[in-house]
Amino acid sequence: MVSVPWEAMLLPLQLGQREVLAHIQDDLLLSASLWSNVALAGLSVLLFSYMARDVRSRRARLVFAATVFIPLVSLSSYLGLVSGLTAGFLQMPTGHALAGDQVLVQWGRYLTWTLSTPLILLALGLLADADPVDLAAVIAADIAMCVTGLAAALTVSSYAFRWAFYGVSSAFFLVVLYALLTRWPDSAAAAGTDEIFDTLRTLTVVLWIGYPVVWALGVEGLAVVDSTALTSWGYSLLDIGAKYVFAYLLLDWVAGNEGVLVGGPLDAARGDVSATRD
């Protein structure tokens, strides 16, 4: 058995990262789509942490905790992308509009969505006081959606299999939409948070639908938009709305209406009435 030095095993990975980094640095539009989110995510972490300073009730603090981690995950993800760590060149398969071309695939986006979108759903579920079993099932479907989306992006053996994974991912997405549109609104109405929930639900549904649309039209799918930079900006703009704008609207409401969140099962189990004290 021939042993291979670990330095030799790491060399292709190192060269790949350097090549991706150089490509990103040379493309101003692509680089801007990533660095803009690094800056916004960092500012969001600071702002949201400051907004949490006076929150007392357990349910409200859980909403804040879940939501503050959204830009933290995003910050880590975009640093990985802009450094070349979580992006790489893949040759598109026969049948793809860019067949034979090396296309930059930002697979790190799927990693961050696998971590950040469950946090978004957790925050929405806590806001609506959704049934814990429903919440767990929806989060599981969401994670499966992201993982199969990653499979669609990384599959280069067959163009048909790329779309097969895309279809499976879309099916899991329908489970998430079903909960947001039909099950959780009634819970939010019973909890007295239906007004803000409806706003955030609409924002989330509209923007989340945009992600598979960008995939289908961008360089990973039909390549109607055959620019990696423009595809990256599509994802980045959706992230700005679905993460930072969403998080600000939610936390601003929670900070100003904390008393509405007191009295749910989480606070009742703890006997937490601190948010109602003068």
Side-chain angles (χ1 to χ4, degrees):
M1 181 176 180
V2 179
S3 64
V4 180
W6 65 269
E7 295 92 340
M9 296 174 64
L10 289 177
L11 184 57
L13 179 61
Q14 293 171 349
L15 293 176
Q17 288 182 23
R18 291 168 185 165
E19 183 182 0
V20 172
L21 176 59
H23 177 80
I24 292 172
Q25 291 176 333
D26 291 341
D27 189 330
L28 181 60
L29 190 61
L30 174 60
S31 180
S33 73
L34 304 177
W35 279 112
S36 60
N37 268 269
V38 171
L40 286 173
L43 290 173
S44 295
V45 171
L46 296 176
L47 174 61
F48 300 159
S49 298
Y50 176 77
M51 292 169 67
R53 68 194 186 281
D54 294 326
V55 174
R56 294 291 181 268
S57 75
R58 193 176 191 186
R59 186 170 155 209
R61 288 190 291 114
L62 279 171
V63 172
F64 262 88
T67 309
V68 169
F69 270 97
I70 295 169
L72 275 172
V73 169
S74 191
L75 176 61
S76 301
S77 169
Y78 275 98
L79 286 175
L81 289 170
V82 81
S83 67
L85 176 63
T86 57
F89 290 100
L90 292 179
Q91 183 173 312
M92 292 296 104
T94 301
H96 193 282
L98 303 175
D101 291 350
Q102 295 285 334
V103 173
L104 181 65
V105 175
Q106 300 175 17
W107 58 267
R109 288 189 181 276
Y110 299 89
L111 178 61
T112 187
W113 294 331
T114 303
L115 298 173
S116 63
T117 54
L119 292 171
I120 292 172
L121 292 174
L122 176 60
L124 278 174
L126 289 169
L127 178 69
D129 202 18
D131 179 78
V133 176
D134 276 1
L135 181 56
V138 171
I139 289 176
D142 174 70
I143 293 172
M145 173 188 74
C146 296
V147 172
T148 49
L150 173 62
L154 293 182
T155 298
V156 294
S157 59
S158 166
Y159 185 54
F161 274 116
R162 290 178 68 86
W163 285 102
F165 279 119
Y166 177 89
V168 174
S169 179
S170 298
F172 283 120
F173 185 33
L174 291 178
V175 176
V176 176
L177 290 180
Y178 174 76
L180 290 176
L181 294 173
T182 65
R183 295 187 64 86
W184 290 6
D186 290 340
S187 298
T193 59
D194 49 322
E195 184 175 354
I196 183 62
F197 177 83
D198 288 346
T199 298
L200 296 174
R201 177 195 61 178
T202 301
L203 178 69
T204 299
V205 168
V206 170
L207 293 178
W208 282 28
I209 289 175
Y211 288 98
V213 171
V214 171
W215 194 99
L217 298 180
V219 293
E220 294 167 303
L222 299 171
V224 175
V225 178
D226 61 358
S227 165
T228 301
L230 291 179
T231 302
S232 181
W233 263 113
Y235 287 134
S236 292
L237 290 173
L238 289 171
D239 276 353
I240 290 171
K243 295 178 182 178
Y244 319 132
V245 173
F246 166 91
Y248 176 78
L249 292 175
L250 172 58
L251 297 183
D252 183 60
W253 186 90
V254 171
N257 299 270
E258 187 178 356
V260 179
L261 300 181
V262 176
L266 287 171
D267 286 331
R270 185 180 179 226
D272 189 348
V273 295
S274 57
T276 63
R277 293 175 183 169
D278 292 331

